[in-house]
Amino acid sequence: MNILHSVAQMRDWRAQNDNTALVPTMGNLHAGHIALVELARQHARQVAVSIFVNPLQFGANEDFAQYPRTLEQDAALLADIDDGIIFAPGIADLFPIPQRYHIEPPPLANELCGRFRPGHFRGVATIVMKLFNLVQPTIAVFGKKDYQQLTILRDMVQDFTVPVTLVAGETIRAADGLALSSRNRYLDAAERQAAPLLYNILMDIKTRVVNGERNYAQLEQNALAKLTEHGWRIDYVSLRNQDLTAPTEDSTQLVVLAAAHLGRTRLIDNLEISV
Ligand code: AMP
């Protein structure tokens, strides 16, 4: 895959490629991203993988400065894919002047991760809209790993009648269950060993719900207690309907979502539950 760095190059390429699937990423690619690229290739003639660490979605005390930037390594991972490009703009390319207009997402953006990362989804929605306008893809692929992000972007596409079809990719995990994430590299060896606990707890909740347990608050409470006991600092564990509304006893399409800190690393994960 060739790398395009400027907005002008991207526009030129787009003028000649009208059947494109976009895979937006922040780089430091892993097998989860590559799975999205493979999925994208099944849906369009060309794939555009954007690699951009988006300053709009980071809070003042978050890891924007330290977020891993590994463009050479990323390009090597995508080297075998001929039918597409990498779009890796610099900040000044996408923001020649500071962004004045923003996408204001609905109240869901203040729940779950949004409660702990104010403005995060506003930043995500704004950059994704910007990329959509620039790349004008037919489809765009996002991972279920970021379940709330996917939901908010689906709603955005619907509300603004954006002519892009969203495709969701399943979460790719390490053999021990830990969801792959660029932030996993912040974990030291002991933390990496402890990290699958989050997935195991979500799996346990899933099993219990499938077996008929309906006291969602109790399940969330038990999970909090277990994670705390093992030294995690929890942002939330939440059972929801798959559209992220509050579940009832009759809900059949659920998802359990969690975010928690292990040392200095914030991990998120979720599992869909069908009963
Ligand atoms: P990021 O680079 O973290 O912004 O992620 C870019 C895209 O990759 C998003 O749509 C994520 O949901 C998706 N993604 C991240 N981790 C995984 C994973 N382990 N499996 C599948 N997709 C993922």
Side-chain angles (χ1 to χ4, degrees):
M1 275 183 162
N2 283 332
I3 306 182
L4 311 182
H5 288 284
S6 73
V7 166
Q9 285 174 320
M10 185 65 230
R11 283 200 197 286
D12 285 349
W13 182 83
R14 173 59 183 82
Q16 282 145 48
N17 294 282
D18 63 356
N19 183 345
T20 297
L22 174 64
V23 184
T25 81
M26 298 206 300
N28 193 234
L29 303 184
H30 51 63
H33 297 113
I34 303 303
L36 299 188
V37 174
E38 295 299 340
L39 187 57
R41 291 175 80 198
Q42 296 167 23
H43 285 86
R45 208 157 34 236
Q46 299 283 332
V47 178
V49 180
S50 64
I51 295 183
F52 181 65
V53 184
N54 169 32
L56 300 182
Q57 71 187 67
F58 286 80
N61 299 319
E62 294 185 352
D63 56 346
F64 176 70
Q66 65 174 131
Y67 198 86
R69 290 159 173 87
T70 55
L71 185 56
E72 241 176 70
Q73 181 190 310
D74 295 346
L77 268 179
L78 297 170
D80 293 343
I81 299 174
D82 296 327
D83 39 5
I85 51 100
I86 296 169
F87 177 49
I91 293 210
D93 291 293
L94 278 192
F95 301 108
I97 43 177
Q99 188 79 9
R100 291 160 295 186
Y101 287 76
H102 292 84
I103 299 287
E104 199 59 62
L108 171 60
N110 302 320
E111 300 176 27
L112 302 168
C113 281
R115 247 183 81 206
F116 302 90
R117 305 188 69 188
H120 171 69
F121 291 111
R122 180 180 190 255
V124 169
T126 301
I127 197 70
V128 168
M129 186 65 103
K130 194 157 170 147
L131 289 169
F132 281 0
N133 285 330
L134 183 55
V135 180
Q136 296 175 32
T138 350
I139 77 144
V141 182
F142 295 90
K144 289 188 186 178
K145 161 83 178 3
D146 297 273
Y147 208 88
Q148 188 178 10
Q149 166 174 287
L150 179 62
T151 307
I152 284 171
L153 293 176
R154 270 204 187 113
D155 292 350
M156 178 183 84
V157 162
Q158 190 180 4
D159 276 18
F160 285 106
T161 57
V162 181
V164 177
T165 302
L166 296 199
V167 174
E170 298 300 327
T171 300
I172 305 298
R173 300 177 179 282
D176 60 9
L178 177 66
L180 299 188
S181 164
S182 305
R183 290 192 168 98
N184 290 351
R185 65 154 55 193
Y186 301 152
L187 299 168
D188 68 25
E191 288 166 347
R192 174 61 191 81
Q193 229 185 345
L197 179 65
L198 189 61
Y199 170 71
N200 291 333
I201 285 179
L202 297 185
M203 276 298 278
D204 182 57
I205 291 177
K206 177 172 176 162
T207 306
R208 287 173 194 273
V209 173
V210 167
N211 289 336
E213 175 64 55
R214 286 294 173 274
N215 190 341
Y216 305 130
Q218 186 65 57
L219 289 170
E220 291 165 3
Q221 213 43 54
N222 293 348
L224 295 186
K226 187 140 192 210
L227 284 162
T228 307
E229 185 189 311
H230 284 83
W232 295 60
R233 185 163 60 80
I234 301 106
D235 281 353
Y236 64 86
V237 175
S238 183
L239 270 149
R240 300 270 174 128
N241 291 317
Q242 288 181 8
D243 61 3
L244 299 185
T245 55
T248 65
E249 282 199 355
D250 301 326
S251 294
T252 58
Q253 304 302 311
L254 297 127
V255 57
V256 57
L257 311 104
H261 302 254
L262 185 54
R264 66 188 182 116
T265 310
R266 183 176 188 273
L267 299 175
I268 63 169
D269 203 350
N270 66 80
L271 281 179
E272 288 180 322
I273 305 171
S274 295
V275 293

